[in-house]
DNA sequence: ATGTTGAATTTCGTATACGAAATTTGCAAT
DNA sequence: ATTGCAAATTTCGTATACGAAATTCAACAT
């Protein structure tokens, strides 16, 4: 049976809207978040806006200016590096655990995402490809059965999405290696822990190198 | 030169007080958080209390009841297991990175904490020992230069502290293996990456086994 | 005794109000 | 033109107010 879902509070809705605006780059880094303005724009009072901003602050997506209010945090490249150091051990752990805890309908779920990604590559749809990428990895976190991996990576993906705004302005082929996902999925689904962790390790290092190069090039183009 | 620190907001102060009350077990799992009551007790209005609870909710320290308000989350043993799976790869990563990025005054800082821990063991001061343990590992996160490790583990330590409330009711010797910390510190300070990560891996597995056994025994004593 | 209904109460989410701190503005002095 | 300073304005943090949903409780019916 289903459970009744109480509709989301204005705080949560406000948080999600602001989070999305920050991650898509709609609110550029350094932008000040004016509570009155946001409240008016979202048709709510300042109270939910204020609470949502508190949460954004604890998640480091905005930073205190000390004086008045908060500004959107700068997505610095060193944070991005740190996230990839982090992923380089967490993602292999996720697939390792996933190998031993596969759900029943794992295969079709993976296939749907893989096909979606392949179609995105074919149509040069960068936005859809990023979405498929996120979905693929989050699927593995779920399969791992480890909620700590899931929640910690959740936060990191927000930061990754932010950095990707820059990256995805360059030609798609330069940063995508979607084919690697299929290798990972095959290894996990067949329960081959060693192959799966190795494929994932390779994938993360590969992605990191490509994206870091792109970001560095954007910052300091030759 | 120093920078002027604006005093903490009531929201932050409230959050810290509530967090501490939850982690020390003062607010037992399942306890309902009544906003009016807390506001009165802390001598603030309900507004900061409400915001603080929003943050506690995003950090999974309290859970929505669906109907009215929130209750302190149950510290379930599977979450604890997940944290240790997580630590089993993150802590070795932290020491590996720390080996290559040691700050100048690393040795005396480590020594201070090690001595503090040894004194705590000698005097059977469980609270001080847990504090030294947290400080030791957080020192390594800082040395690792990776803020993602630091923030993600920060959250996990809150959950660990909560579980430790139960664990520390048993004789100290059963769960402590403080001596291992000195081995880790020695390896890190000498820049021996292999030895450091190995010592850390051993330490985490060891701690997990001991604590899990204690928790299981408490739950289902023979 | 048990179940039902609806009024009283509690408690939360959200709106509005208020005071304080910071910033901007305007104007006079150099 | 630049600097100094005070008044006006903005904007935030926090308090208070209000309406709605949930819970409690009591009267009543079975």
């Amino acid at each position: 049976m289903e459970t009744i879902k109480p509709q989301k509070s204005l705080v949560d809705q406000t948080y999600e809207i602001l989070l999305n605006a920050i991650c898509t780059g709609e609110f550029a880094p350094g932008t000040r978040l004016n509570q009155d303005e946001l409240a008016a724009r979202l048709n709510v009072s300042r109270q939910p806006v204020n609470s949502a901003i508190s949460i954004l602050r604890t998640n480091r997506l905005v930073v205190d200016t000390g004086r008045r209010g908060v500004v959107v945090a700068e997505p610095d490249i060193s944070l991005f590096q740190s996230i990839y150091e982090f992923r380089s051990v967490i993602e292999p752990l996720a697939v390792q655990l996933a190998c031993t805890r596969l759900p029943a309908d794992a295969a079709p779920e993976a296939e749907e995402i893989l096909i979606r990604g392949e179609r995105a590559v074919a149509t040069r749809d960068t936005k859809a490809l990023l979405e498929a990428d996120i979905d693929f990895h989050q699927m593995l976190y779920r399969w791992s059965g480890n909620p700590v991996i899931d929640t910690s990576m959740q936060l990191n993906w927000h930061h990754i999405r932010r950095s990707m705004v820059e990256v995805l302005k360059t030609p798609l082929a330069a940063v995508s290696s979607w084919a690697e996902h299929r290798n990972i999925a095959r290894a996990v689904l067949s329960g081959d822990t060693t192959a799966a962790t190795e494929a994932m390790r390779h994938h993360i290092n590969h992605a990191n190198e490509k994206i870091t190069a792109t970001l560095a090039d954007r910052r300091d183009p030759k």
Side-chain angles (χ1 to χ4, degrees), chain A:
Chain A
M1 203 183 74
E2 295 276 326
T3 58
I4 293 175
K5 37 158 202 218
Q7 75 253 345
K8 284 188 177 168
S9 69
L10 294 190
V11 175
D12 289 343
Q13 292 184 61
T14 303
Y15 174 75
E16 278 177 25
I17 289 173
L18 294 182
L19 176 65
N20 211 50
I22 291 172
C23 290
T24 60
E26 187 183 331
F27 288 173
T31 308
R32 281 205 24 177
L33 265 50
N34 183 310
Q35 299 188 355
D36 280 312
E37 188 189 322
L38 292 172
R41 180 122 48 116
L42 300 176
N43 243 324
V44 297
S45 76
R46 261 187 48 228
Q47 157 69 20
V49 175
N50 188 290
S51 283
I53 287 177
S54 285
I55 301 174
L56 288 173
R57 193 190 303 126
T58 70
N59 287 347
R60 306 283 168 93
L61 286 154
V62 300
V63 295
D64 252 306
T65 59
R67 18 181 163 39
R68 214 184 299 198
V70 298
V71 299
V72 176
E74 294 288 335
D76 74 295
I77 195 163
S78 84
L79 175 63
F80 193 82
Q81 291 290 357
S82 293
I83 289 174
Y84 269 86
E85 285 175 359
F86 187 86
R87 290 188 76 189
S88 75
V89 300
I90 286 299
E91 296 278 0
L93 174 64
V95 294
Q96 180 206 316
L97 295 174
C99 282
T100 66
R101 300 172 186 173
L102 278 183
D105 57 346
E109 187 184 356
E111 191 57 30
E112 187 273 323
I113 296 176
L114 287 171
I115 287 180
R116 190 141 50 83
E118 281 154 15
R119 197 174 309 146
V121 171
T123 60
R124 299 256 189 291
D125 185 345
T126 55
K127 199 160 161 296
L129 184 60
L130 180 55
E131 257 173 47
D133 194 19
I134 295 174
D135 289 346
F136 182 83
H137 287 282
Q138 288 189 345
M139 171 190 75
L140 291 175
Y141 308 151
R142 190 154 28 78
W143 288 1
S144 82
N146 186 317
V148 179
I149 293 176
D150 195 79
T151 52
S152 67
M153 280 307 302
Q154 206 69 36
L155 248 180
N156 287 330
W157 273 108
H158 298 323
H159 292 288
I160 294 173
R161 277 176 68 198
R162 251 151 77 67
S163 299
M164 282 311 208
V165 170
E166 274 307 309
V167 173
L168 291 181
K169 288 176 185 165
T170 70
L172 185 68
V175 291
S176 163
S177 36
W178 184 256
E180 292 171 3
H181 288 94
R182 190 167 279 283
N183 295 334
I184 295 166
R186 191 181 309 120
V188 171
L189 288 170
S190 68
D192 186 342
T193 307
T194 312
T197 54
E198 206 40 59
M200 180 58 92
R201 218 183 306 277
H202 178 262
H203 172 61
I204 296 298
N205 289 337
H206 202 188
N208 184 21
E209 281 167 22
K210 278 190 166 184
I211 294 170
T212 303
T214 307
L215 280 175
D217 198 47
R218 285 236 144 227
R219 190 164 301 246
D220 176 29
K222 283 169 281 293

